[in-house]
Amino acid sequence: MIDDDVSDGPVVRLGKPGAGPGPARLSLSGPTQPYEDEPTLDFLVRADGPWGSVETSVRTWNGDGLDAFFASLAEDFRGWAGARTWHSLSYDLTLSAEHHPGGHVHLTWGIHDRAPSEEWHFEVTTVHAAGEDMRSLAGEIRTFLTSVAD
């Protein structure tokens, strides 16, 4: 995780391309709590590649357990059967994780248009080594989600 000159505050960047047309880069940035009296946490998710870019605001309820989801992926570095899934409060960000032979985790990030229009949907896959890479990513996500309290 780094602080970025372009956005407000911390950024998590994922850039190891996986399936799909051409290399992609995904970032989470700008975590904010729009309402002081409730644990709503918003952030931006953006995917960039040779095909262009897509970005949307993600609304969560205190992170919706995204940090716990990543912690469980890191903990189960030996693998699991099937896909594990996560989604944000308003389903503007979805995530599917699959463990593949050779010790890699494929994360498929679904970026969705906000309700009620829901006119578009975009997916990009990033590939991460199981074990230390996932443990590091889980720590970055946890730090990112808790950074607004600092």
Side-chain angles (χ1 to χ4, degrees), residues 4-5 11 13 71 79 88 102 107 114 118 125 127 132 135 144:
D4 190 50
D5 299 355
V11 176
R13 289 203 172 111
S88 63
L107 299 174
R114 277 261 170 107
E118 300 175 1
T125 299
V127 179
E132 198 56 43
R135 203 172 358 270
F144 175 77

Side-chain angles (χ1 to χ4, degrees), residues 24-86:
R25 182 173 172 165
L26 187 96
S27 64
L28 310 177
S29 64
T32 61
Q33 281 187 289
Y35 312 109
E36 289 182 29
D37 58 341
E38 60 182 55
T40 303
L41 177 69
D42 294 349
F43 58 87
L44 293 175
V45 61
R46 180 182 177 112
D48 294 293
W51 29 259
S53 65
V54 63
E55 176 179 277
T56 196
S57 176
V58 176
R59 170 134 307 156
T60 69
W61 190 255
N62 218 16
D64 288 333
L66 183 59
D67 53 345
F69 178 76
F70 273 95
S72 74
L73 299 179
E75 185 68 27
D76 294 337
F77 62 91
R78 288 187 178 90
W80 59 86
R84 291 185 178 176
T85 60
W86 174 91

Side-chain angles (χ1 to χ4, degrees), residues 14 26 28 45 66 70 86 93-96 107-112 121-126 128 137 141:
L14 302 104
L26 187 96
L28 310 177
V45 61
L66 183 59
F70 273 95
W86 174 91
L93 180 62
T94 59
L95 190 54
S96 175
L107 299 174
T108 301
W109 303 79
I111 303 171
H112 309 266
H121 168 85
F122 178 83
E123 285 188 350
V124 64
T125 299
T126 58
H128 308 269
L137 181 54
I141 295 291

